[in-house]
Structures are given as C-alpha cells and as structure tokens.
C-alpha cells in the first residue's frame, strides 16, 4: 500500500507550566494508506517537529521529512527500515528530523500491524510479550518530607518500584540529597525498587556525581539515571567504574541507535533507556534492545506522555523476559490521558501487559484530541505549508 | 550590556535545486544590545531553526531557545558560555536547539568583538591569526572527465588543494571510483593536495569503505571524509586502523563538543571538521580545537555558505599555526556571496587571512539581504510567534 497522508496534531494543556512534567503537550501523528490508519507520537517540541516535516528543502541533504515519506510504498517492516535509511541521507543536515520522523515511524508500525492483523511486537519477531513491572515515575518533592509522602502514596497505589528525579536533587548540599534519598526509601519501604534521576545536573563533573554514590548505595538505589549530559560517554564510563552496587542508567537523549550503543559501549550503563518518540521510532529501538541483550545491559523504555507512546515504547523489548522494569507515567495531565480511548493498566500483581490487538492496540479518542488541539499555521512566501488538519 | 533583540532572517535563492550545494539558502541572525549590533549564521534548516527559537515551551527542559537568550546580560566571553550552559538544561529535549543557538552564539561573539574593539580570535585568547591555505570544495563530476576538468580549473584558479565529494562517488563500482579519483589527480597535478568526501554513503559498512582505501592511496589523497554516519564512531575507528597513508576526516555533523571529541577519541580521525553554525557556535568549536591540539589531530573548518560563516569558522583555529588547511566555498550561489559587503579573498600566495577588524570583520549588505529575504509567518492559537522582521 501507499502512504497517502501524514497528519500532525499538536495538543497541549491550556496552561503549560515551567515544571518537569512532559505530559503537558504532545505531538500526535496520523498516517493513512490502503484504507488503514496508524497513529504515532513524537516525544519532542511539537511546533519545531512540524516545521521539520514541512520545511522547504535547503539542499539535497537537507530535505523536509515529508520528502522521504509521502507516496512511499509500505507492505512489510523492511519498507519502514528502507525509508529510514533514505531519510538519513535526505535529511542528514536537518537536526530535528529524527524527532519528527519518530512519530511517523511509530504510526507506520501501527498501520502495518492493523493491515496484517498482528500486534507490533509480533512484526518485530517476538513470539510473545512478557509482563512488565511498572515503576512510578515522579519528581522529588521540594522537601524531603514531601518526597517521603509521594513515595508512600506510590507504594500504597500498588507500585513495587518508584523513581524520584529532578527537582532539588543535585542542586544543593550532599546533606540535602541524603535527606531526600533517605526519605524516598522510608516512604517506599525496604522492599521496593528505588531509582534516582539526576536530570543531567552535573554536566560532565564526575567528582560531583561520585560524591553521591555512597548516599545512593546507603539506600540501596538500583540505578542513578542521567548524571551527565547525554553525550558525555567518557564521564559515564568513569563514574560506572567507581560505582559498587548502584548501576548507571541513561540513553533517553539518543536520537539514533548509534548514540544508544555508545551509551552502553563507552558509557557502561547498566540500564539503557530508550524513547521511541526520539530515537527514530520502534525499528532502531529494537536494534538497541538486541545490542543490550548481547552486552548484558537491561533495556528500559522512556515514556512520559500518553498510553499510545507507552504502547510504542514497550514493543521493542516486549519479548525480553528478563528485562522486566518499565517506566510508567503515574500522574499524566488530562490531555495525555484523555487522548487515548483505552489504557494500559496494572493488573492485580501490579504488572502491565503490552496490548495484544493489532498494531499498537491503543485507540485515539478523536473527540478529546479536538478538545486539546492547538491551531498552528505556517506560511512561507505566501504559501501555507502547514495548517492544523481536521481530526 | 543586555541582549535586547534577536532577529532571524531566512534567505534563499529563488529556485532551490536538489543538489549538494549548501549555499542555496541561509539563516542569518542579528543581535542588538548596548547600541551595538552583531551578526551570525546558522548552518541549518532555516524554517525549523526559527521554530526552535520561538516555539511554545513543552516543559521545563523543553523551552524555546529564546527563553535562555533574550534579556541576558553579556559583557565578556564568559557570559556567552554561561548562556550556553543554561540553554543545555532549558532546551535539553529540543533537538534543533543546537542549530538554532549556533547562529545566535556567533552573533554574540561579533557583538562582543565590536564592543571591545577586538577581532573574535583575540577574545578567544589567540595573540595572532595565521594565514590558512584554502581548499576548493566541489562536487565530483557526473563523469571522470568532468571531474578532471573541474580539478584543472581549480588548479588554474590558484588553489593548491581541492576536495571532490558526493555525486557518484561510492555509489557505483570500484572501477568507477578509481576512474574518478585518477581523473581528479590528473586535473589537479602531482603537487596539489587532494581530498575526497564520501558524504556518509557507506553508513557503517566498513568493508565497503575499506575497499576504496587502495584507490585513495594510489592517488596520494590526504583524507577520506565522512565515509560513515556522523555517529558511527566504531566504524570510523576500525577503518582508521586499516588505513596506511590516508587519514580520515569527519565531525561536521557534531552538534555539541562532546560529539566532536568522540570523533577524535573513538573515531580516530586525523582531521576534525567543525561547522560553527551547528556545533553551538564559536565557543564549543574553540574547545574542540584545544582537544585536537592535545590529541595530535588537525582542526579544519566546515563551511559552505557565506563569508560571514567563513569568518566565524576560521576564528576557533585562527591562532593554530600548524593547522593550515581551510575549507573555502569556491562557487557559492549569488545569495551567499552578495549578503556580505566584504569578503575573505586569497592573497597572491593563495592564502586567506582572518579579518583583523572588530568582531568577525564582515559587514552584512542589508540591501542584498532584502533581495533574497523569505517571508515567513508562524501563528499558534491566533498569536503570531514569528514574522520576518525588517532588516
């Protein structure tokens, strides 16, 4: 079948706040071809990613993403990979292309799955999907007391694993960080899996990060996430060599499979975190999962918006039985929740299951999409290159 | 002084063709503060980079570039570095931010230079600027005969070094590539420096690239540029280990200093090619030059648009006496030439000199800018976030 149309929908909460909550807006992608419809999502700046899809060509290696996608034939997963290779050359100098293409690529897998009547993980070659243990992903409280309460609530809600990140962590004294981590452990109890996310706060300052290792080991934290800039593989590698029980986690910034491999090979992380909405979609994420298995690294999804994005992010490691932990947005904004008509909910064991219905198995609620839709218009020399389409 | 305004100007030739000529459009940046004006240029998709500057915030780590720049105080180079660090955190999830910021950063150096009455290379700590030997940067001809003629003409125009790239190279048989390389050497003569650019054509296929090494050695080529994807450091490193006289060159895709360092440390290139209009501007490029010196790697600029971009690209290695070769656009489109009122021309020895006047030493021809100006308007929920400003 032919890729007939690709439409981008920019959704947002009425009031986007200056906080570390990535569920305040979304960029939804709809592809249509052969009577089928597929949906995907970019984890990216919506306006900038729309621009990357429709921008005028600058030269033969700086073409809009649309130039490599529209009108292409697509019948099997090989076709998606072929388009990705063409895009790499056609949009080599368009930095945002990877983020813009990611949502399209995901939508193409959804489309193919629906056409073949198979869930995406089967198209990826997995015989079956194993349940995952979701961790509650949340911000550190402004005070240790607040963090204790947040972790206790997550535990009471049934979560066996909790991640605290960002906020004041790494910005104050060692004592402040120790208080935060101790409070998190107290709230979660001795049994739960505790994860900490530094949000790149130390740049490439290995000493600053190293000073926190004893505090993390004291509370039996499983991982320290993103201590450094996403490209600072050398700093990652040095810190990994100095850690004892704590492993490093990272990779969410990777916008191609190479970068994720480097985070493992040079950065020596124990957990590789991949956002399908950034790395170029599900195809490259699956290749990263294969490399992780070979390298003894655990694959984890990175997801903080809708359950459409969540389903996409689970597919690349759905069939890896031993890679069990998964990121699960615990308190998304109304937009991120309501844009999907069905959801991936923890069962009575607190585990989540990849949908078994064709494609990604998530239905978009077009009425709710309309409610959060942002009107965008981009004109260049009098020609309208983009106007928010009808849902 | 305060950064009062930042204005983006998208210029383009009336007809942008599907060829590997990057001088067909440009994104010019003007900053104003304290009664001074600085100019810079992004080497990037203009529309997408404008969107990255003005897009609505998605969350605290996905803010528009403008949020980290407008209203900031800037008096010394340290202030530029401080803004860059803030931007890294504020726009962590906005991929295009690096390209958008690059032009602003360059304009800030021009502004500071004018304010302090010093050329930028002096603000960077260099006592003096050494002349560079420009190489003529051109595409391989469609036939070997055409390539021979192109190289002979470059030699006759006074160039002591010529780079041929892209076109059919690497896409056909080994014999085709051999014919092309032999023709290039014949056209250039035995004395000239011959450089070859594969434009990432082999992805990460080391064997395909290795098969060309004997052909390159046969014609005494100095470097093989971009055999692989810009992030394929492993493939670079493997090929470098197998080469004898030919060195690898790469790095133009780097959108931060880390990536350039990786290209040297892991990729083992002999020449690191930096585009100031992509890597985050002149500041990170200077740090790359320092790392190159320590690593025994030769720094080379990557430039294919205007002489404003050329001046910016020469500053980071202006004071490195032994890093002499420089990329020089041999046949830019009218837009790329005319947007500057003065130019960097080879002297009677065929060498070029970094301008000694304050800032970047290049004046923008606002009348000609107006002639090539592209009208853009971006509205979001009825608010005009960008409209092409008056020059």
């Amino acid at each position: 079948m032919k890729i007939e149309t690709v439409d981008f929908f920019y959704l947002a909460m009425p009031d986007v706040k200056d906080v570390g909550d990535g569920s305040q807006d979304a960029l939804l992608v709809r592809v249509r071809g052969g009577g089928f419809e597929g949906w995907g999502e970019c984890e990216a700046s919506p306006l900038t990613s729309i621009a990357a899809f429709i921008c005028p060509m600058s030269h033969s290696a700086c073409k809009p993403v649309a130039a490599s996608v529209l009108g292409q034939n697509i019948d099997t997963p090989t076709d998606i990979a072929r388009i990705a290779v063409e895009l790499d050359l056609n949009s080599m100098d368009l930095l945002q292309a990877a983020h813009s293409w990611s949502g399209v690529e995901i939508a193409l897998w959804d489309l193919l799955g629906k056409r073949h009547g198979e869930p995406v993980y089967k198209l990826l070659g997995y015989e079956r999907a194993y349940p995952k243990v979701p961790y509650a992903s949340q911000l550190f409280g402004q005070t240790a007391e607040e963090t204790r309460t947040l972790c206790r609530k997550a535990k009471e809600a049934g979560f066996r694993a909790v991640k605290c990140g960002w906020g004041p962590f790494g910005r104050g004294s060692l004592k402040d960080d120790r208080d935060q981590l101790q409070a998190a452990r107290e709230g979660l109890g001795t049994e739960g899996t505790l994860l900490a996310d530094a949000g790149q706060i130390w740049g490439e300052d290995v000493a600053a990060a190293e000073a926190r290792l004893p505090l993390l080991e004291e509370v039996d934290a499983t991982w320290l996430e993103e201590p450094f800039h996403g490209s600072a593989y050398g700093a990652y590698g040095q810190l990994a060599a100095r850690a004892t029980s704590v492993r490093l986690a990272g990779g969410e910034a990777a916008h191609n499979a190479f970068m994720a491999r480097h985070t493992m090979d040079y950065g020596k992380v124990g957990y590789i975190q991949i956002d399908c909405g950034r790395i170029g979609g599900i195809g490259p994420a699956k290749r990263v999962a294969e490399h992780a298995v070979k390298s003894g690294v655990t694959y984890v999804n990175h997801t903080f918006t809708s359950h459409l994005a969540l389903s996409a992010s689970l597919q690349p490691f759905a069939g890896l039985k031993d890679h069990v932990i998964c990121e699960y947005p615990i308190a998304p904004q109304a937009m991120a929740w309501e844009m999907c008509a069905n959801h991936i909910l923890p069962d009575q064991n607190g585990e989540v299951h990849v949908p078994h219905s064709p494609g990604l198995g998530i239905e978009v609620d077009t009425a709710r999409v309309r409610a959060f839709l942002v009107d965008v218009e981009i004109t260049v020399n009098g020609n309208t290159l983009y106007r928010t389409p009808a849902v």
Side-chain angles (χ1 to χ4, degrees), chain A:
Chain A
M1 59 188 165
K2 193 168 271 207
I3 302 176
E4 289 153 17
T5 60
V6 177
D7 289 309
F8 281 81
F9 303 97
Y10 175 1
L11 315 186
M13 294 297 291
D15 182 21
V16 173
K17 297 194 171 66
D18 190 0
V19 294
D21 175 359
S23 72
Q24 301 181 85
D25 69 8
L27 183 57
L28 195 58
V29 185
R30 181 183 64 197
V31 297
R32 283 178 172 160
F36 295 93
E37 191 173 274
W39 291 89
E41 199 177 325
C42 306
E43 185 44 62
S45 162
L47 183 69
T48 314
S49 304
I50 291 169
F53 192 77
I54 52 91
C55 62
M57 170 173 69
S58 290
H59 54 80
S60 60
C62 192
K63 290 179 187 164
V65 174
S68 303
V69 176
L70 291 173
Q72 288 265 17
N73 276 310
I74 169 171
D75 295 301
T76 69
T78 315
D79 293 314
I80 302 181
R82 172 182 48 79
I83 298 171
V85 169
E86 289 179 30
L87 178 81
D88 258 359
L89 292 173
N90 288 335
S91 299
M92 189 186 291
D93 290 351
L94 176 54
L95 190 49
Q96 189 76 14
H99 280 193
S100 185
W101 160 247
S102 292
V104 179
E105 206 260 11
I106 291 168
L108 290 174
W109 282 101
D110 190 38
L111 184 79
L112 267 194
K114 285 170 180 164
R115 190 219 165 148
H116 294 289
E118 297 272 20
V120 170
Y121 67 82
K122 290 220 168 165
L123 296 183
L124 288 171
Y126 289 127
E127 299 250 326
R128 57 164 294 192
Y130 293 92
K132 304 291 176 193
V133 174
Y135 67 81
S137 193
Q138 55 188 24
L139 304 177
F140 277 107
Q142 281 310 307
T143 63
E145 191 48 44
E146 206 184 312
T147 297
R148 185 181 292 109
T149 306
L150 285 167
C151 288
R152 200 181 50 234
K153 283 188 181 165
K155 183 193 176 193
E156 286 164 6
F159 285 97
R160 289 141 56 181
V162 167
K163 182 172 87 182
C164 295
W166 300 70
F169 189 69
R171 294 176 181 268
S173 68
L174 286 179
K175 184 183 177 309
D176 292 342
D177 286 353
R178 184 167 189 265
D179 290 348
Q180 283 279 1
L181 290 166
Q182 296 274 349
R185 172 52 77 195
E186 284 160 26
L188 178 61
T190 48
E191 291 301 301
T193 299
L194 179 59
L195 315 166
D197 181 359
Q200 304 192 8
I201 194 67
W202 299 302
E204 57 175 328
D205 182 349
V206 178
E210 195 181 354
R212 271 75 181 187
L213 288 179
L215 317 183
L216 290 155
E217 287 163 356
E218 213 172 33
V219 297
D220 194 22
T222 297
W223 80 48
L224 170 61
E225 176 175 337
E226 285 220 305
F228 307 119
H229 187 288
S231 292
Y233 311 130
Y236 267 93
Q238 284 176 49
L239 186 66
R242 290 170 199 177
T244 56
S245 62
V246 184
R247 305 295 301 272
L248 302 188
E252 67 179 83
H255 57 79
N256 60 50
F258 291 109
M259 300 173 85
R261 273 160 45 185
H262 300 331
T263 306
M264 293 183 262
D265 297 346
Y266 306 130
K268 304 292 179 194
V269 296
Y271 297 86
I272 185 74
Q273 303 172 292
I274 299 304
D275 200 312
C276 283
R278 291 179 185 163
I279 200 169
I282 291 172
K286 172 64 163 43
R287 293 201 304 278
V288 172
E290 290 163 9
H291 191 80
V293 169
K294 276 193 294 190
S295 311
V297 171
T298 303
Y299 184 104
V300 192
N301 65 308
H302 176 266
T303 314
F304 51 57
T305 52
S306 78
H307 281 221
L308 178 69
L310 179 62
S311 175
S313 77
L314 294 175
Q315 308 292 335
F317 73 124
L320 301 182
K321 194 180 172 188
D322 301 331
H323 299 226
V324 291
I325 207 166
C326 89
E327 182 163 40
Y328 188 89
I330 185 175
Q333 296 292 324
M335 175 219 74
W337 184 262
E338 296 174 18
M339 64 187 268
C340 297
N342 58 322
H343 298 90
I344 298 170
L345 300 174
D347 64 14
Q348 64 277 22
N349 296 323
E351 292 176 330
V352 297
H353 301 265
V354 183
H356 297 303
S357 31
L360 296 173
I362 298 291
E363 231 176 285
V364 169
D365 186 332
T366 50
R368 299 311 297 154
V369 164
R370 227 169 273 129
F372 293 103
L373 201 55
V374 175
D375 262 324
V376 174
E377 190 169 339
I378 302 175
T379 63
V380 172
N381 278 342
N383 301 313
T384 299
L385 299 188
Y386 177 84
R387 182 183 287 140
T388 300
V391 184

